[in-house]
Amino acid sequence: MSVLRKAMGAAVLAGAAMLTTAGAAGAASGPAGTPTAADTAAIGQLTSGPATLGRLAATKFPGARAAAAAQQSADPRTQVPVYEPTAAFVAGKSDVPAALAYVAVPAHTGDGTAATVWAERQGAAWTVVNVASGDYERQYAQAAAGGYLLHEPQVNAWYAVRGEAVTVLDGSVTGLAAGTKLSLADYRAALHGRYADKLPGSAYDRDGAGGGYGGRERAVPAADPAGVPLLPFVLGGVVVLVAGAVAVPRLRRQ
């Protein structure tokens, strides 16, 4: 185990043991923004429509191996809501653990490469905001076995949440192995330990330490001059840089 993984694992355990705020998770609440039947229908029309299919036809991922006799397609019958922790939950101000980030729809590009279309609610409408390589959301949703899918983009970790139980699907650099189970309260404590000093209103926020990024950034590693990956992300509107995290970039077309 690398020094980084040991350190991150220790931070998780320390945060779980030390957090004693009055906002510790009580009875579990479901995530916010769960798609309705009308949302599902709108996403189906959007992702199977000519604009999305045209985008898939034009998408090329570097190094992808083309399949024979391929044609671009999307499968709106499979829609995977992906949720992310909220700043209010991390700060202990809400018992709602997460809010909807996007809905993932498995697809194939024009050369047959597996891809995923990301549909995001923008106001009253749904918009395709990204085409990413692979079908990881579908695979993680299957592993979630009925729980909802929670993504922590800051460290690219994935979890299944069912009631008060949080199961690690892919711990990435957190140091927690797949299959590890946490209570929702302990998971919030770990989040608090990682991000409490970077929330809106913090010194980090006031100093603009994460400035220079616009819109909703996700965990897309970019090497700094020293060759250490920096992960830009937004948590409650604040862009944060986590240095030293080891992550494999997921190819994407914005």
Side-chain angles (χ1 to χ4, degrees):
M1 181 179 290
S2 68
V3 173
L4 173 62
R5 286 182 176 273
K6 289 180 179 178
M8 293 294 288
V12 169
L13 296 176
M18 296 176 63
L19 181 64
T20 57
T21 65
S29 298
T34 299
T36 65
D39 291 327
T40 298
I43 293 167
Q45 288 186 325
L46 173 67
T47 55
S48 62
T52 300
L53 293 179
R55 186 168 177 174
L56 287 167
T59 296
K60 304 290 184 184
F61 296 118
R65 295 182 178 179
Q71 184 175 2
Q72 69 275 9
S73 62
D75 180 13
R77 297 169 300 177
T78 303
Q79 298 185 18
V80 181
V82 178
Y83 300 89
E84 294 176 0
T86 66
F89 180 71
V90 174
K93 297 179 180 179
S94 172
D95 284 335
V96 178
L100 183 71
Y102 63 97
V103 175
V105 174
H108 286 88
T109 63
D111 61 7
T113 303
T116 299
V117 175
W118 294 3
E120 189 173 283
R121 186 190 284 120
Q122 296 184 351
W126 287 88
T127 302
V128 171
V129 296
N130 191 32
V131 175
S133 62
D135 63 347
Y136 302 103
E137 288 88 348
R138 180 189 63 79
Q139 295 178 49
Y140 285 130
Q142 289 179 339
Y148 68 83
L149 191 60
L150 181 66
H151 181 217
E152 192 181 332
Q154 299 85 349
V155 291
N156 198 30
W158 294 83
Y159 309 86
V161 183
R162 298 185 68 178
E164 294 281 355
V166 179
T167 303
V168 178
L169 300 177
D170 182 350
S172 187
V173 298
T174 64
L176 297 178
T180 300
K181 295 185 181 298
L182 303 169
S183 70
L184 195 58
D186 284 349
Y187 178 62
R188 170 147 65 180
L191 289 174
H192 189 276
R194 285 197 281 272
Y195 312 123
D197 61 345
K198 301 174 181 67
L199 294 174
S202 65
Y204 187 102
D205 181 18
R206 292 192 300 272
D207 292 344
Y213 294 88
R216 183 185 178 83
E217 299 291 340
R218 299 193 187 278
V220 184
D224 72 354
V228 178
L230 299 178
L231 303 187
F233 67 90
V234 171
L235 181 61
V238 179
V239 183
V240 184
L241 297 178
V242 178
V246 179
V248 176
R250 183 176 181 187
L251 301 175
R252 65 197 66 217
R253 286 284 296 265
Q254 297 296 337

